[in-house]
Amino acid sequence: KALGGNRYELADPDSDALTISRHMLTTHLPAALEGEEFFIEYQPLVRMEDGSVEGAEALVRWAHPRHGVLGPDRFIPLAEHTGLIVPLGRWVLEQAVRQACEWQVRGIGGARPLRVNVNLSPRQLRHPELVSETVAVLREAGLDPSSLCLEVTESALIRADDAELKPLRQLADLGVHIALDDFGTGYSNLASLRRLPAGTLKLDRSFTRGLQQEPADPVDLKVVEGIVSLAHALGLSVTVEGVETAAQAEQLRKLGCDSAQGWYYARPGPPEHLSGSTMPLAAG
Ligand code: C2E
Ligand code: CA
Ligand code: CA
Ligand code: CA
């Protein structure tokens, strides 16, 4: 209680991480941002053709002084609801862009510079300063726009009208990559895919789950195969999420997926995990 004065009045001293009140988390969010309680873990994205590292996704965590490390599912929806996602998202972008610069300066990733992927929430997408701030962050760090990938969920994008898509289009025109996150959960149709400025589909984990069992679920195989050929026909690359086993990785490679992310390759971890030799990479 000494930590945050009356901010903690609702916290139950016996509560575990699963029962912390939403209200308590929400009221503490601004102070947590001020107090630098957030940190970022990076999870590698691996090219399926040769197992090389293409880049990494920045995933934010909250080192809560009382409740330990909280995953983003615990506080991102609250931050989105209250609007704090805008400054929090800006902080994540700044950190991630700086980190990508550092990897590049140290020559990690070899001939092809590592890219960093940053999640963008619907609220950030609608923020009027999105383009100018992103450009400023890139300039200040000296990172080429092509080394940044912004991930926007499919459900956020299919609801967006042309005015809302404009900033993303501007960023794409500047060379920033746009990925359609959690693809397959938002019921896009062909027409809506074509009007989006995305260059990559990130196939949701729910599609790769059926490929974990031996033999793989034949319907899931067909579905993934169909999505991959559709994406490629539209000029989009395909990243698969949640790859946990060697068998899954091999299936997905055969199905033509371009890159993959998942515990099989590496769990999210500190940025040092990307430094080539220590990368726990077991390419399929
Ligand atoms: P996401 O963008 O779909 O990120 C992938 C999630 O899958 C991450 O969960 C990651 O740790 C997890 N994951 C990766 N590989 C595997 C695997 O092989 N198996 C399983 N079971 N899970 C795997 P995490 O870190 O808990 O993030 C959850 C969500 O929170 C993210 O989903 C993203 O939507 C959101 N998020 C994270 N960081 C940020 C951020 O900085 N800004 C915003 N707006 N959202 C964020
Ligand atoms: Ca993501
Ligand atoms: Ca995702
Ligand atoms: Ca997800």
Side-chain angles (χ1 to χ4, degrees), residues 106-182:
R106 287 166 51 205
I108 295 162
R112 293 175 285 192
L114 283 194
R115 183 188 291 170
V116 75
N117 288 32
V118 175
N119 293 286
L120 211 61
S121 81
R123 190 111 166 200
Q124 290 173 276
L125 201 57
R126 291 193 301 266
H127 193 266
E129 309 297 329
L130 173 69
V131 176
S132 58
E133 283 184 359
T134 305
V135 168
V137 168
L138 288 167
R139 276 220 187 101
E140 196 165 312
L143 190 75
D144 194 89
S146 66
S147 293
L148 174 66
C149 176
L150 295 174
E151 299 193 359
V152 188
T153 61
E154 180 195 21
S155 52
L157 273 199
I158 48 174
R159 280 198 313 263
D161 57 28
D162 279 336
E164 287 170 320
L165 288 177
K166 198 175 157 212
L168 274 189
R169 239 177 234 123
Q170 288 174 322
L171 288 167
D173 288 344
L174 291 168
V176 174
H177 286 258
I178 310 291
L180 210 47
D181 205 355
D182 298 349

Side-chain angles (χ1 to χ4, degrees), residues 79-94:
E80 175 75 13
H81 185 70
T82 59
L84 198 83
I85 192 69
V86 171
L88 177 60
R90 191 186 304 130
W91 179 83
V92 172
L93 179 73
E94 279 166 8

Side-chain angles (χ1 to χ4, degrees), residues 73 153 181-182 204-205 241:
D73 290 335
T153 61
D181 205 355
D182 298 349
D204 192 69
R205 194 159 72 228
E241 302 185 317

Side-chain angles (χ1 to χ4, degrees), residues 5-281:
N6 60 10
R7 248 181 242 116
Y8 282 91
E9 64 192 359
L10 286 171
D12 173 1
D14 298 325
S15 72
D16 65 11
L18 292 171
T19 57
I20 320 164
S21 87
R22 288 170 57 94
H23 177 79
M24 198 281 291
L25 286 183
T26 308
T27 36
H28 192 52
L29 271 170
L33 188 56
E34 281 282 304
E36 296 173 13
E37 290 173 15
F38 294 99
F39 67 101
I40 299 176
E41 287 191 318
Y42 294 88
Q43 186 179 35
L45 278 80
V46 175
R47 293 186 190 90
M48 298 214 97
E49 50 174 15
D50 59 3
S52 63
V53 178
E54 172 182 74
E57 178 173 7
L59 296 159
V60 69
R61 279 89 180 83
W62 180 359
H64 194 284
R66 279 189 55 170
H67 302 290
V69 174
L70 304 179
D73 290 335
R74 305 293 309 283
F75 59 87
I76 290 286
L78 304 177
E80 175 75 13
H81 185 70
T82 59
L84 198 83
I85 192 69
V86 171
L88 177 60
R90 191 186 304 130
W91 179 83
V92 172
L93 179 73
E94 279 166 8
Q95 301 296 309
V97 161
R98 265 186 229 152
Q99 188 57 60
C101 275
E102 197 184 313
W103 287 326
Q104 294 190 358
V105 166
R106 287 166 51 205
I108 295 162
R112 293 175 285 192
L114 283 194
R115 183 188 291 170
V116 75
N117 288 32
V118 175
N119 293 286
L120 211 61
S121 81
R123 190 111 166 200
Q124 290 173 276
L125 201 57
R126 291 193 301 266
H127 193 266
E129 309 297 329
L130 173 69
V131 176
S132 58
E133 283 184 359
T134 305
V135 168
V137 168
L138 288 167
R139 276 220 187 101
E140 196 165 312
L143 190 75
D144 194 89
S146 66
S147 293
L148 174 66
C149 176
L150 295 174
E151 299 193 359
V152 188
T153 61
E154 180 195 21
S155 52
L157 273 199
I158 48 174
R159 280 198 313 263
D161 57 28
D162 279 336
E164 287 170 320
L165 288 177
K166 198 175 157 212
L168 274 189
R169 239 177 234 123
Q170 288 174 322
L171 288 167
D173 288 344
L174 291 168
V176 174
H177 286 258
I178 310 291
L180 210 47
D181 205 355
D182 298 349
F183 183 79
T185 61
Y187 309 102
S188 300
N189 55 38
L190 253 168
S192 72
L193 273 184
R194 295 193 77 155
R195 84 190 171 97
L196 301 177
T200 299
L201 294 187
K202 286 192 84 172
L203 193 57
D204 192 69
R205 194 159 72 228
S206 53
F207 290 94
T208 50
R209 217 170 278 149
L211 306 186
Q212 242 174 55
Q213 62 211 45
E214 291 276 8
D217 184 311
V219 176
D220 284 336
L221 276 177
K222 279 285 170 209
V223 169
V224 174
E225 194 177 20
I227 292 175
V228 171
S229 59
L230 163 69
H232 286 170
L234 291 167
L236 299 162
S237 70
V238 178
T239 301
V240 282
E241 302 185 317
V243 179
E244 296 182 356
T245 68
Q248 239 178 332
E250 182 53 21
Q251 292 279 14
L252 290 161
R253 193 189 58 77
K254 280 194 205 143
L255 291 174
C257 296
D258 301 284
S259 53
Q261 188 179 352
W263 296 346
Y264 171 61
Y265 302 99
R267 300 219 174 205
E272 301 78 51
H273 275 191
L274 269 285
S275 33
S277 53
T278 64
M279 168 78 204
L281 220 190

